[in-house]
Amino acid sequence: MKIKVPATSANLGPGFDCLAIALDLWLEVEVDFFHSGVFVNTIGEGADYLPTDSRNYFIRVIDRILKMWGEPSVRNICITVDNNIPLARGLGSSAAVTVACVKIASELAKKRLSAEESVDLIAKIEGHADNGAAAYYGGLVLTGIKEGRNNIAIPIDLAEELPKALLAIPRHRVRTRDARKVIPTKISMYDFVHNNSRTALSVYAWTTGRFDLLNLAMDDRVHQYYRLKLIPGANQMLKAAKLCTGIYGASISGSGSTLIAFGLEKDLLLLAHDWADVWKKKAIDGDMLIVDISKDGVIVN
Ligand code: HSE
C-alpha cells in the first residue's frame, strides 16, 4: 500500500480552526503488512532521531485507532516514511501522519470509512479538523463542529487559476499545543465581527479568483497577534509582505512557526528577499520554499 498526503496551511489569517488549504509538499508512505514485527523506517525529515519501533508516532496513532475500534494492536508492519513536510512548523505534519494512519488502520481492520467518517476521526485525534480535512480532500476546506464533538468539513471549489505560496520555514519549532495556550479564551464583539467578515471574504476570494481581496481578507484579530511573539521576526515579515508589490496576502501558517504568503512567483521571489533580510538581521536560520496549492488530497494506491 502506498499513501501520499499533502502538507496543509490552516487558518489563512482569520479562519481560525475553520479554514485550511493543501500544498504541493508531500508525506509519502509505503506499507508492508507482511513484515515480521513492527518497524518504521524514516527517510528525510526526522530520519536521524525518530524511533523505529512501536514508540514511533505512526504506530502509536494506528494502535490508538485500532483500540477505538476494539481491534488488537498492530504486530506485523513495516512502514517506510519519506517526509518532505517539516515537523512542528504549522504545515500540518501531524495531520498528514494521522490521515495516513487512518488509511492504514482501515486496511488492517478491513473497515470502509466514508470521507466524512475519516475526517471526523482525524479531527478527533488531532483536536481540530482544519489541517486533517485539507490533507484528506485537497484544495480549500471549511471545517467546524457539527454537534457535540462531531466535526463537519466541506471542500470548497477553488478558482481555476491559483497563486503560488511562499513558505518561510525557520529552524525554530512551535508546538500547536503551546501556540493555542497563548490565545485569549474570550474575544470582543468587534474582533468577532472582524474575523467573521474576513473569513467569509476569504472564501469569496479563493472561489472567484479575486485574490486582490486577500490582503484585506487575511487580516486576523483573534490569534495571530498573540502568536507573533513565539516566532522571531514574524511581525516585521508580515509588515514587509503588506509593503511588497503584488503580494495578495500573508499570515502565520497554522500555529506557526512558518509564515505563508500568496502571489505570483515573480512577486514571491521579491518578498523572499525581503524576508531573508529580516532573518539575516536577526540571525534566524531556515528555508524559503515556493510551492503550488494542491487540489489533490490523500492519494492511496
Ligand atoms: N487551527 C489550528 C491552530 C491549526 O491554529 O491552532 C494548527 O496547525
Side-chain angles (χ1 to χ4, degrees), residues 8-11 15-20 89-93 95 126 128-131 176-177 179-180 183 223 227 252-256:
T8 47
S9 182
N11 306 331
F16 181 70
D17 279 1
C18 70
L19 210 53
R89 310 297 212 297
L91 291 168
S93 58
E126 283 291 298
H128 49 90
D130 46 10
N131 291 99
T176 298
R177 206 183 324 147
R180 291 177 86 83
I183 306 169
H223 68 105
R227 288 173 159 179
I252 296 177
S253 180
S255 54

Side-chain angles (χ1 to χ4, degrees), residues 1 30-39 74-80 104 107-108 110:
M1 183 185 204
E30 202 169 331
V31 191
D32 171 6
F33 293 105
F34 300 101
H35 186 79
S36 115
V38 168
F39 187 69
V74 59
R75 293 199 195 291
N76 299 300
I77 199 163
C78 174
I79 305 178
T80 303
I104 297 168
E107 185 67 25
L108 284 165
K110 301 277 169 262

Side-chain angles (χ1 to χ4, degrees), residues 116-153:
E116 290 79 8
E117 287 166 333
S118 302
V119 170
D120 186 49
L121 178 58
I122 294 158
K124 283 179 175 137
I125 294 169
E126 283 291 298
H128 49 90
D130 46 10
N131 291 99
Y136 194 92
Y137 288 117
L140 181 73
V141 293
L142 260 180
T143 60
I145 307 282
K146 200 159 52 174
E147 73 264 338
R149 286 188 62 234
N150 292 327
N151 298 275
I152 185 163

